[in-house]
């Protein structure tokens, strides 16, 4: 019985995948369409080599950045931008159109109903969700659970897409994915095949990995990008007050790239952040810890979640900042099968 159910589910997955493929074309315009507008194929290839695979993505670069690409003169860049503007509407739209556009946003389940309700249905695409908290507060566990739940069909509150995982702390464990996949009734081997993983060792390496993602995301249906953790390498590669301004500038560029990936390909970006002790917080603040990354990171994240330890295996998640969610808390639990609802 279970075997037939699983086979049915897999067929369903494939069916949903085909349907999604048709919708996918509406989300972004491939860069190849520039050729029909009279742009030289060689110039289009240069754009692809620079990590630009969609016309939407092209409009997210300044002309100064584009002239920095080897072999593209200012005149060529102007011509390319004019052609892209004909393909993609980048002017004003009405509020009603913006609401229609929001319909393409998918909410991916976290595995805990209480946490999903807190987030208005789950982790949303086209946005950056940042989780910060001390070590052992459940940030990476949520990342592992999302790796699996993103691959569920949309009717099961999944994202029906692949996952990209950039790991800066060396905490990704593929063997941890196996019991989580089994809990959701999925084949662990297939789930692992749909996750692409990269270990970053320097902030430059981390940025280059993001640039390389555009090629993969324009070809295959990705729904989630995890960066665990976004700040770790910046705290190592830049030291002292003297390098702080440069660090924040480089961090801002990285976060800008993440926002563009989220909106260009309609993927959910889930990034974890560390905390710093704030000894100057005063006597009246009960918890003298604050998220690392300063204001640059605070403004870049769409939804900020604060994780803290509860009793035993329980963890508490609080909405710290979000444009459309009230400040509230949810209690969840870390189990062998990933994040789940807390048992009293």
């Amino acid at each position: 019985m279970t075997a037939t159910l699983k086979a049915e589910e897999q067929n369903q997955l494939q069916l949903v995948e085909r349907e999604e493929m048709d919708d996918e074309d509406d989300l972004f315009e491939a860069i190849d369409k520039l050729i029909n507008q009279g742009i030289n194929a060689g110039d289009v290839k240069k754009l692809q080599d620079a990590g630009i695979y969609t016309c939407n993505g092209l409009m997210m670069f300044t002309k100064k950045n584009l002239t920095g690409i080897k072999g593209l003169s200012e005149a060529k860049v102007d011509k390319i931008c004019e052609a892209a503007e004909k393909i993609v509407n980048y002017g004003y739209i009405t509020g009603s159109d913006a609401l229609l556009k929001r319909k393409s946003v998918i909410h991916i389940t976290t595995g805990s109903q209480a946490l999903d309700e807190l987030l208005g249905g789950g982790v949303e695409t086209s946005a950056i969700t940042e989780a910060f908290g001390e070590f052992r507060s459940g940030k990476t566990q949520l990342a592992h659970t999302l790796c699996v739940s993103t691959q569920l069909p949309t009717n099961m509150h999944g994202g029906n897409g692949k996952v990209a995982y950039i790991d800066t702390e060396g905490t990704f464990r593929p063997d941890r994915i196996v019991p989580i996949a089994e809990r959701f009734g999925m084949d662990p081997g297939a789930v692992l095949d749909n996750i692409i993983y990269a270990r970053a060792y320097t902030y430059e390496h981390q940025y280059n990995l993001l640039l390389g993602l555009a090629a993969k995301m324009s070809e295959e249906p990705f729904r989630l990008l995890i960066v665990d953790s976004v700040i770790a390498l910046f705290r190592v590669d830049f030291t002292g007050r003297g390098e702080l301004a440069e660090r924040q500038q480089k961090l801002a560029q990285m976060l800008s790239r993440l926002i563009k990936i989220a909106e260009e390909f309609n993927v959910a970006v889930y990034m974890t952040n560390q905390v710093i002790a704030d000894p100057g917080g005063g006597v009246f603040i009960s918890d003298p810890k604050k998220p690392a990354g300063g204001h640059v990171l605070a403004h870049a994240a769409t939804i900020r979640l604060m994780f803290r330890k509860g009793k035993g295996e329980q963890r508490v998640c609080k909405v710290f900042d979000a444009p459309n969610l009230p400040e509230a808390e949810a209690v969840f639990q870390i189990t062998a099968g990933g994040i789940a609802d807390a048992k009293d």
Side-chain angles (χ1 to χ4, degrees), residues 231 243-253 293-296:
I231 195 82
E243 293 183 354
L244 187 61
E246 193 193 346
R247 181 190 96 164
Q248 293 302 83
Q249 200 180 4
K250 294 277 189 260
L251 179 61
Q253 286 170 359
H295 292 290
V296 166

Side-chain angles (χ1 to χ4, degrees), residues 4 19 26 40 43 71 84 90-93 95 103 109 123 133-134 149 152 161 189 196 210 253 293 307 331:
T4 48
E19 279 170 26
D26 306 336
N40 183 352
D43 292 340
Y90 256 77
Y92 292 101
I93 57 169
K103 292 251 190 311
T109 179
V123 175
E134 283 185 285
S149 65
L152 288 167
I196 60 167
L210 287 178
Q253 286 170 359
F307 281 30
V331 181

Side-chain angles (χ1 to χ4, degrees), residues 68-95:
I69 297 170
K70 202 174 172 211
L72 292 186
S73 63
E74 273 186 42
K76 270 185 183 175
V77 166
D78 287 341
K79 199 179 165 195
I80 288 168
C81 289
E82 268 174 43
E85 277 167 22
K86 286 178 190 163
I87 299 169
V88 184
N89 167 32
Y90 256 77
Y92 292 101
I93 57 169
T94 64

